[in-house]
């Protein structure tokens, strides 16, 4: 069954982005653990870098001073001091990269584990992928790719600058005020305000089209996974031309969305580069204030004047650069906004989903056995978990960690169950019960073998009741009879659904549904078991 589709949701950089951050931050920081530690270490390393960067920036003025004074001793003293400071600056740069990358891993671990816990509980996975996805497209992509990109952008690109930005801006604002007064500070702040407004406007469509690209990427990937999973059926239908056309159609949608995204990203890049490069020119314009308007340096000789110009240029430039870093984050934050909202939508869905069963009953009463936990359902198409799963794991799925099951999983028991359903050859195929499997079970087993393997799980787990939804329709009549005889011997109650008339022989009661909302329930007089 395909989940009901909702209208495609557009994502924008606005209040919804900040609401999504409010939703996600408790997941990123679930307690006093590594994410918080690496956040503090990233901030400390970034702060240390800014301190050393200021000291090295001031040394440029010293070089001008000693060279203009022709003071060789002072020059070499400054040279070696600068060397050590630059080594420290490089070390701190590496530490910022290390700690922010570790923070990214911590973020991704925390949010992915919480999403996994919610996604694989209360039938959320079933609801999203089969019943009604509530407009949440590609939940698998949101858990894997969107979380990875969001955590990487937040930890590596945003946090290292954002954590120290208030302190850096505050310090260089004070230094600028001390040098050029309120006019100089006003010019730089006005410049930042204009650049912020421009960037805020032009990143809006960037966020929207980034969301469209992510959805198209997920659909394109899913199409190829679907083609791979149904390669045999496609070959029998001779569907190569159809799949080629559909793959190209979906790919063209992806390319179109990417083209729009790239076209809207170009103005963002232009704006960022303009405000960054023109900031260098602006620093010289601000020098006019202390030199020509305030006459602050009229009494300085040439050497001291050159040092002062160098130091002022560094201070002005770094204040502009600090603001420029914030505006440069616009592209990263705009892209991050779509990931955070897509993830937050999934989080909200999993938080609100309280499905106890797969479907809600409209009327009537359902009474389950006391051992409700030991009811099993076998679908027509057996589920064989992927990922190089061992034979023991396949047989005990999904109860590998159940102590009740663990007490009956001796190899002799497994061997006997496999032999009873003519599956002993699977032991050698898998290299033993715990051998390293280098194939996917769903690709290696025939439909009949897969159904028999699922019956083995029932015989091993010993549930009080098992529902068989056409779970033997790929088996020969003789093997089908063997299955029901084994269930009877194990005293496992069962309810079967199916179309094959042979099933009648193994049941006490028959419910017949004729397709016109009419049904009949009667005792089976031909039960042969």
């Amino acid at each position: 069954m395909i989940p009901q589709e909702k209208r495609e949701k557009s994502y924008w950089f606005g209040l919804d982005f900040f609401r999504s951050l409010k939703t996600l931050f408790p997941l990123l920081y679930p307690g006093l653990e590594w994410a918080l530690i690496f956040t503090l270490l990233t901030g400390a390393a970034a702060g240390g870098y800014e301190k050393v960067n200021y000291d090295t920036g001031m040394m440029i003025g010293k070089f001008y001073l000693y060279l203009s004074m022709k003071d060789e001793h002072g020059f070499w003293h400054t040279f070696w001091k600068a060397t050590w400071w630059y080594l420290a600056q490089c070390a701190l740069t590496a530490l910022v990269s290390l700690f922010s990358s570790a923070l990214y891993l911590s973020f991704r671990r925390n949010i992915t584990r919480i999403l996994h816990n919610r996604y694989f509980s209360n039938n959320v996975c079933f609801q999203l992928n089969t019943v009604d996805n509530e407009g949440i497209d590609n939940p698998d992509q949101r858990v894997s790719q969107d979380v990875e990109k969001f955590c990487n952008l937040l930890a590596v690109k945003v946090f290292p600058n954002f954590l120290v930005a208030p302190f850096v801006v505050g310090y260089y604002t004070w230094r600028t005020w001390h040098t050029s007064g309120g006019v100089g500070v006003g010019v730089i702040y006005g410049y930042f305000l204009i650049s912020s407004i421009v960037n805020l406007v032009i990143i809006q469509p960037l966020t929207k089209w980034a969301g469209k690209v992510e959805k198209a990427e997920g659909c394109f990937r899913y199409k190829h996974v679907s083609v791979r999973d149904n390669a045999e059926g496609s070959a029998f239908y001779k569907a190569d031309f159809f799949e080629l056309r559909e793959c190209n159609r979906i790919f063209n949608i992806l390319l179109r969305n990417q083209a729009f995204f790239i076209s809207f990203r170009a103005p963002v890049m232009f704006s960022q580069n303009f405000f960054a490069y023109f900031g260098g020119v602006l620093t010289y314009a601000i020098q006019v204030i202390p030199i020509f308007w305030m006459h602050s340096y009229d009494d300085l000789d040439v050497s001291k004047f050159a040092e002062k110009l160098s130091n002022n240029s560094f201070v002005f430039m770094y204040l502009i650069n600090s603001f420029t870093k914030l505006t440069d984050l616009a592209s990263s934050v705009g892209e991050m906004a779509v990931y955070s909202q897509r993830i937050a939508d999934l989080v909200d869905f999993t938080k609100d989903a309280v499905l106890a069963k797969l479907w809600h009953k409209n009327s009537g009463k359902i009474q389950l056995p006391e051992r409700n936990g030991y009811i099993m359902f076998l679908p027509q198409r057996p589920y064989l978990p992927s990922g190089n799963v061992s034979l023991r794991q396949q047989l005990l799925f999904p109860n590998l960690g159940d102590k009740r099951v663990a007490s009956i999983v001796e190899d002799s028991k497994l061997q006997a169950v496999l032999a009873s359903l003519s599956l002993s050859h699977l032991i050698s195929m898998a290299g033993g019960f715990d051998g390293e499997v280098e194939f996917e079970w769903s690709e290696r087993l025939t439909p009949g073998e897969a159904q028999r393997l699922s019956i083995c799980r029932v015989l091993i787990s010993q549930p009080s009741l098992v529902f068989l939804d056409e779970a033997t329709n790929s088996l020969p009549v003789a093997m089908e009879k063997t299955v029901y005889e084994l269930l009877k011997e194990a005293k496992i109650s069962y309810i079967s659904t199916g179309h094959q008339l042979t099933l009648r022989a193994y049941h006490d009661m028959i419910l017949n549904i004729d397709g016109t909302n009419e049904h009949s329930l009667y005792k089976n007089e031909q039960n042969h078991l």
Side-chain angles (χ1 to χ4, degrees):
M1 181 180 296
I2 300 175
Q4 299 176 25
E5 289 291 339
K6 303 292 184 182
R7 183 177 62 86
E8 180 180 351
K9 181 176 180 179
S10 295
Y11 296 101
W12 301 89
F13 182 82
L15 288 178
D16 286 342
F17 166 56
F18 294 102
R19 292 192 189 101
S20 69
L21 293 181
K22 182 180 178 181
T23 299
L24 296 182
F25 263 77
L27 279 63
L28 298 171
Y29 295 101
L32 297 176
E33 44 83 64
W34 285 110
L36 181 59
I37 293 174
F38 285 123
T39 299
L40 296 175
L41 290 174
T42 300
Y49 170 85
E50 295 296 340
K51 172 61 172 66
V52 173
N53 189 60
Y54 171 78
D55 292 332
T56 54
M58 292 294 103
M59 286 182 184
I60 297 175
K62 293 294 184 182
F63 281 120
Y64 279 111
L65 174 65
Y66 292 127
L67 288 173
S68 61
M69 294 174 57
K70 299 182 179 180
D71 183 351
E72 184 176 359
H73 175 76
F75 169 81
W76 285 114
H77 174 77
T78 305
F79 175 84
W80 291 115
K81 186 178 180 180
T83 300
W84 285 110
W85 277 119
Y86 279 118
L87 287 173
Q89 192 173 17
C90 293
L92 287 166
T93 301
L95 287 176
V96 170
S97 176
L98 173 64
F99 293 145
S100 63
S101 297
L103 178 61
Y104 148 71
L105 292 177
S106 300
F107 280 165
R108 189 178 186 186
R109 177 199 61 190
N110 292 343
I111 195 171
T112 300
R113 286 180 176 177
I114 292 173
L115 281 175
H116 277 173
N117 289 338
R118 295 182 178 184
Y119 189 61
F120 296 108
S121 63
N122 295 325
N123 297 310
V124 170
C125 177
F126 174 83
Q127 175 79 0
L128 282 175
N129 292 288
T130 307
V131 183
D132 189 348
N133 63 15
E134 295 293 335
I136 299 178
D137 59 87
N138 302 303
D140 58 319
Q141 181 189 31
R142 299 187 187 216
V143 175
S144 56
Q145 296 181 22
D146 289 358
V147 167
E148 189 279 330
K149 293 177 180 177
F150 169 74
C151 293
N152 188 44
L153 286 170
L154 181 62
V156 177
K157 291 190 175 182
V158 175
F159 264 20
N161 293 319
F162 182 78
L163 291 174
V164 298
F167 307 101
V168 174
V169 170
Y171 177 75
Y172 284 100
T173 297
W174 174 77
R175 288 298 306 270
T176 302
W177 186 286
H178 179 73
T179 302
S180 61
V183 177
V185 172
V187 170
I188 295 176
Y189 273 64
Y191 185 71
F192 168 68
L193 181 61
I194 294 173
S195 66
S196 298
I197 294 174
V198 171
N199 279 285
L200 183 61
V201 171
I202 63 179
I203 67 171
Q204 291 289 347
L206 188 70
T207 303
K208 171 188 174 181
W209 285 102
K212 290 181 175 291
V213 168
E214 287 305 306
K215 179 177 181 179
E217 286 280 10
C219 294
F220 182 58
R221 185 193 68 250
Y222 179 78
K223 178 59 180 177
H224 273 277
V225 171
S226 176
V227 169
R228 183 189 67 188
D229 291 344
N230 297 279
E232 183 180 27
S234 177
F236 281 119
Y237 277 107
K238 299 185 183 301
D240 286 351
F241 177 74
F242 174 84
E243 297 294 8
L244 170 64
R245 185 179 61 186
E246 284 300 294
C247 285
N248 284 339
R249 182 183 65 83
I250 296 172
F251 182 56
N252 288 336
I253 295 174
L254 171 59
L255 287 180
R256 184 193 64 189
N257 290 342
Q258 285 182 320
F260 277 104
F261 176 73
I262 292 172
S263 64
F264 283 111
R265 189 171 58 182
V268 175
M269 297 298 295
F270 172 82
S271 174
Q272 290 177 346
N273 289 325
F274 173 79
F275 285 110
Y277 295 148
F278 188 74
V281 178
L282 191 62
T283 59
Y284 294 102
I286 299 174
Q287 295 275 21
V288 170
I289 299 171
I291 296 175
F292 300 121
W293 297 0
M294 300 173 63
H295 300 282
S296 301
Y297 311 133
D298 288 352
D299 57 341
L300 297 181
D301 59 28
V302 175
S303 299
K304 288 291 185 180
F305 182 66
E307 179 187 13
K308 184 62 67 173
L309 286 180
S310 175
N311 291 343
N312 285 352
S313 294
F314 176 78
V315 170
F316 301 156
M317 188 64 214
Y318 213 78
L319 179 57
I320 293 175
N321 186 60
S322 298
F323 283 129
T324 302
K325 286 182 179 180
L326 295 179
T327 56
D328 285 347
L329 289 177
S331 178
S332 296
V333 172
E335 185 179 356
M336 190 178 74
V338 65
Y339 301 133
S340 66
Q341 292 174 75
R342 283 170 59 84
I343 299 168
D345 285 346
L346 179 59
V347 171
D348 290 338
F349 181 92
T350 59
K351 182 171 57 178
D352 296 335
V354 290
L355 298 176
K357 306 298 175 188
L358 301 184
W359 299 93
H360 293 293
K361 62 182 184 294
N362 293 324
S363 62
K365 180 180 179 181
I366 299 177
Q367 184 174 353
L368 299 174
E370 293 182 1
R371 292 197 304 162
N372 186 24
Y374 298 119
I375 295 177
M376 293 186 67
F377 295 81
L378 293 190
Q380 176 182 357
R381 183 179 178 182
Y383 177 46
L384 304 178
S386 61
N388 307 115
V389 178
S390 70
L391 178 57
R392 187 185 304 276
Q393 289 175 306
Q394 289 288 5
L395 288 170
L396 301 183
F397 173 81
N399 299 311
L400 189 58
D402 192 316
K403 294 182 179 180
R404 189 187 69 86
V405 176
S407 64
I408 59 170
V409 294
E410 292 85 0
D411 289 358
S412 58
K413 173 68 175 180
L414 300 181
Q415 290 172 349
V417 171
L418 288 172
S420 67
L421 291 170
S422 303
L423 290 176
S424 298
H425 62 283
L426 297 185
I427 302 176
S428 58
M429 178 191 297
F433 290 111
D434 300 300
E436 184 175 347
V437 176
E438 297 181 353
F439 57 83
E440 294 296 346
W441 291 91
S442 59
E443 299 174 357
R444 182 64 63 90
L445 300 186
T446 65
E449 288 176 324
Q451 287 192 336
R452 280 181 281 157
L453 181 58
S454 67
I455 299 296
C456 288
R457 294 170 178 168
V458 177
L459 298 175
I460 293 170
S461 297
Q462 294 287 304
S464 59
L465 175 66
V466 60
F467 288 87
L468 305 171
D469 181 10
E470 300 193 58
T472 60
N473 66 349
S474 294
L475 303 182
V477 174
M479 181 56 68
E480 181 183 75
K481 180 179 179 181
T482 299
V483 166
Y484 283 99
E485 288 175 344
L486 291 171
L487 293 175
K488 194 78 171 180
E489 291 174 7
K491 295 182 171 53
I492 299 175
S493 300
Y494 54 82
I495 298 176
S496 304
T497 62
H499 300 282
Q500 52 274 48
L501 296 177
T502 53
L503 292 177
R504 292 174 175 268
Y506 315 122
H507 296 78
D508 297 324
M509 302 291 295
I510 296 177
L511 172 64
N512 183 54
I513 302 175
D514 62 9
T516 61
N517 293 327
E518 298 295 332
H519 68 277
S520 59
L521 178 65
Y522 55 90
K523 187 174 182 180
N524 182 22
E525 303 293 343
Q526 301 178 354
N527 189 341
H528 300 321
L529 290 183

